[in-house]
Amino acid sequence: MTENPRIIAGIGVGSRGVVAPVATVSPPPAVPADEPAPDDVAAAQGALTDALAAVREDLLARADAAAEPTLGEVLAAAAQMAGDPALAQRAGALIADGSGPATAIDAAVEEFAATFEAIGGPMAERVTDLRSVRDRVVARLTGQSEPGVELREPSVVVARDLSPADTSALDLALVVGIVTEEGGPTSHTAIIAGQLGLPCVVRAEGATGLADGTIVAVDSASGRVVVSPDEATVAALERRGEALAALAEDTADGATADGHGVDLLVNIGTVADAERSAQVPSQGVGLFRTEVLFLEATTAPTVEEQAEAYERVLRAFAGRKVVVRTLDAGADKPLAFAQQDGEENPALGVRGYRLVRTLPDLLADQLAALALAKERAGEDGATLWVMAPMVSTPAEAADFAAAARSAGLATPGVMVEVPAAALRADRVLAEVDFVSLGTNDLAQYTMASDRLLGSLADLLDRWQPAVLELVARTAAAGTAAGRPVGVCGESAGDPLMALVLTGMGVTSLSMSDGSLPEVRFALRSHTLDTCEQMAAAALAAPDGGSARAAVIELLDDEAKAVLAAE
Ligand code: PEP
Ligand code: MG
């Protein structure tokens, strides 16, 4: 035990913590620096094709065996990359030009990676998958071992970055935490750690320098990795772990200590998500990101195809509420069939609801499919609300509401995620039955900071006063109009922020299902009056850090021990 434990700061995912020894994932196999030009071009091309096919088969087998649906889906996507004929063709051409097969696949992958990175958003995040395909192919071609780590005891896995394929090669029963030097809060590593309920810190610079076996405390709540932690740090994390485990026992509806109800809802993206999270106690779905269903589709989905998926979701949540968001295509969520050419700034382009300008049938078909699903599920389905993303003006809200109502969808709303909509929330609310704050995009557009850029994480801090002011303004407009105002961005799943949002007048909080127990506990530990004081304190703070600190000051002692990392 050292007196001053070394701390590596990164970005935490969730609020769990763990203390365990480090196991570092071995670096990728090296591409031989002086690989000779092949004597037999056809044979070298054949060896590469065989290696790509074997890697594809292996990834598909792991996708089938994956116990966790998200992991299975991302592995299947990586397998698709290994089977991409364009990649094989490009590498084959490089072999014909005199490159050895390992050099050729390396160069072809880097060319593809550069294109993905230039597109940005989720495509850029796929670069990790692409390079992991390359590593596996190179390992096969050169007889080196595949990247990975053999776990012998419960360990914190440390890696530069962790692709889904790397994750699937781990013995998950022995992984108790994940730390990566790269990746961001929205990277695959973060998503998978969240789904597996593992403590995780990303962007922890220097972590791969830790020797195997070093004891570390991974604290997701504070985003810190404490090297050789002292006893007090270990004891605090253990107490938090026990308290968090106990919270999961509570299945009550969301309410403050004095009984002020706040609906606790889940965010979903697929039918599998819906069927799994329907088992978790919640009051329904606050955000169904329908574009996630069609990320791989090359043509627009038919009404029938959509209705089938929506009906299954409505049935999974029978007796509860499901808020469906119409397709939010564009920028960080590109859909092949809704691509807008020639835009220099897709985040500010024709995306989300604005697609009604260029592809009006998309919205019409989706509303028709939702109406069909609602009719088919009937009494055995959920109560259906529908909302449009990326709405900027009251006129857009009015047009969407009219379209939804005429399709037979009685409860239309819109997302408030553009500052313009938040500033005019009273007028937007006059046109629709509810609004839902998308704090991820609201922060991006208020702070003019790309939400996927880890290096701007400080500006994107959900506690930034300017973002809080817009949220408060929207919530106040909802209270004045007597209409529901939800939050479905990541802010809703932060238990401290959930208290602030409740104090501002927000009526529902929608989050990934893993965050529900802590948010439920935070609410039931405080009265509405305390929440209002917290909201006032956060709004009065000069910056994000002090806003959060001011809320921690007002926490009840037990809640402070469980929820607030020092
Ligand atoms: C948001 O922007 O906060 C939101 C919930 O939508 P998405 O993250 O899907 O853009
Ligand atoms: Mg959004």
Side-chain angles (χ1 to χ4, degrees):
M1 300 277 165
T2 54
E3 268 187 27
N4 289 310
R6 186 158 82 86
I7 290 172
I8 302 177
I11 301 174
V13 180
S15 54
R16 289 162 214 261
V18 72
V19 180
V22 160
T24 310
V25 175
S26 61
V31 178
D34 44 9
E35 197 182 21
D39 294 333
D40 182 343
V41 166
Q45 287 170 331
L48 177 65
T49 312
D50 290 350
L52 279 166
V55 168
R56 180 175 171 274
E57 287 302 307
D58 179 43
L59 289 168
L60 282 177
R62 290 190 203 178
D64 279 347
E68 206 286 318
T70 310
L71 186 56
E73 281 160 26
V74 284
L75 280 168
Q80 206 179 359
M81 285 184 190
D84 183 352
L87 182 66
Q89 235 166 35
R90 178 66 192 134
L94 289 168
I95 294 174
D97 286 348
S99 293
T103 311
I105 189 69
D106 181 45
V109 159
E110 286 311 313
E111 284 175 19
F112 278 59
T115 312
F116 284 8
E117 271 164 356
I119 296 170
M123 289 308 277
E125 299 221 336
R126 292 200 165 175
V127 167
T128 308
D129 298 340
L130 193 57
R131 293 200 173 116
S132 105
V133 166
R134 183 257 328 265
D135 293 343
R136 285 170 164 69
V137 172
V138 170
R140 280 174 193 266
L141 287 169
T142 59
Q144 299 176 70
S145 51
E146 291 203 352
V149 60
E150 188 122 350
L151 301 176
R152 291 189 189 81
E153 58 183 332
S155 307
V156 170
V157 170
V158 176
R160 208 157 48 82
D161 203 353
L162 215 48
S163 72
D166 299 333
T167 313
S168 73
L170 298 169
D171 179 355
L172 288 176
L174 291 176
V175 181
V176 293
I178 296 177
V179 175
T180 62
E181 291 211 8
E182 294 176 2
T186 54
S187 63
H188 282 322
T189 306
I191 292 167
I192 289 169
Q195 302 276 357
L196 296 172
L198 290 173
C200 173
V201 174
V202 297
R203 302 197 84 74
E205 237 174 272
T208 54
L210 294 170
D212 272 2
T214 308
I215 303 293
V216 290
V218 180
D219 185 350
S220 306
S222 65
R224 299 187 317 173
V225 179
V226 185
V227 184
S228 307
D230 57 20
E231 277 164 25
T233 308
V234 175
L237 275 187
E238 275 172 4
R239 273 201 307 280
R240 178 135 50 92
E242 284 160 16
L244 286 174
L247 299 187
E249 306 290 310
D250 184 358
T251 60
D253 284 353
T256 59
D258 52 337
H260 170 76
V262 178
D263 285 357
L264 295 182
L265 308 166
V266 294
N267 291 351
I268 61 168
T270 62
V271 176
D273 275 357
E275 290 172 349
R276 183 184 50 78
S277 59
Q279 313 305 319
V280 174
S282 78
Q283 286 154 275
V285 173
L287 171 62
F288 177 10
R289 290 181 164 103
T290 54
E291 64 281 355
V292 176
L293 293 172
F294 309 114
L295 284 175
E296 308 293 335
T298 49
T299 53
T302 62
V303 170
E304 184 54 39
E305 211 177 315
Q306 293 187 66
E308 219 171 278
Y310 304 150
E311 184 185 344
R312 284 174 65 188
V313 172
L314 293 179
R315 286 184 184 277
F317 281 89
R320 291 183 265 178
K321 175 171 89 174
V322 170
V323 184
V324 177
R325 176 173 76 185
T326 56
L327 294 172
D328 188 14
D332 56 319
K333 310 178 192 82
L335 294 185
F337 54 86
Q339 201 62 33
Q340 302 294 299
D341 293 330
E343 290 188 344
E344 292 214 359
N345 294 305
L348 303 178
V350 179
R351 56 167 305 197
Y353 178 68
R354 299 169 185 182
L355 283 166
V356 77
R357 297 163 188 245
T358 53
L359 298 166
D361 289 350
L362 269 190
L363 180 65
D365 281 359
Q366 189 169 23
L367 294 175
L370 284 165
L372 199 57
K374 178 171 157 271
E375 189 188 308
R376 287 180 183 164
E379 297 287 292
D380 298 325
T383 304
L384 172 61
W385 291 15
V386 61
M387 65 181 179
M390 298 296 301
V391 163
S392 307
T393 63
E396 284 178 338
D399 288 347
F400 175 73
R405 290 198 181 102
S406 72
L409 302 166
T411 317
V414 296
M415 291 195 64
V416 171
E417 49 186 348
V418 175
L423 287 165
R424 311 281 280 183
D426 52 348
R427 289 172 170 84
V428 169
L429 271 158
E431 307 295 347
V432 289
D433 293 325
F434 71 98
V435 297
S436 184
L437 280 148
T439 46
N440 307 336
D441 277 314
L442 189 60
Q444 158 165 270
Y445 292 120
T446 305
M447 303 305 295
S449 303
D450 185 338
R451 62 190 269 187
L452 295 176
L453 220 48
S455 56
L456 294 179
D458 57 324
L459 290 175
L460 285 161
D461 179 359
R462 61 180 67 123
W463 294 89
Q464 281 284 355
V467 180
L468 290 183
E469 264 192 42
L470 290 174
V471 171
R473 191 181 174 102
T474 306
T479 307
R483 301 215 159 142
V485 173
V487 174
C488 62
E490 298 308 306
S491 288
D494 172 340
L496 303 185
M497 182 62 85
L499 294 169
V500 168
L501 297 171
T502 300
M504 288 175 175
V506 161
T507 55
S508 69
L509 298 164
S510 192
M511 62 202 79
S512 66
D513 56 57
S515 302
L516 284 167
E518 289 149 65
V519 171
R520 182 181 279 119
F521 164 74
L523 287 178
R524 84 163 139 77
S525 306
H526 300 89
T527 61
L528 179 59
D529 184 54
T530 306
C531 293
E532 286 169 354
Q533 287 176 40
M534 289 171 167
L539 284 165
D543 55 53
S546 10
R548 185 169 182 273
V551 172
I552 291 176
E553 277 295 299
L554 291 166
L555 280 177
D556 148 279
D557 283 346
E558 189 199 349
K560 197 182 284 186
V562 177
L563 302 173
E566 3 54 270

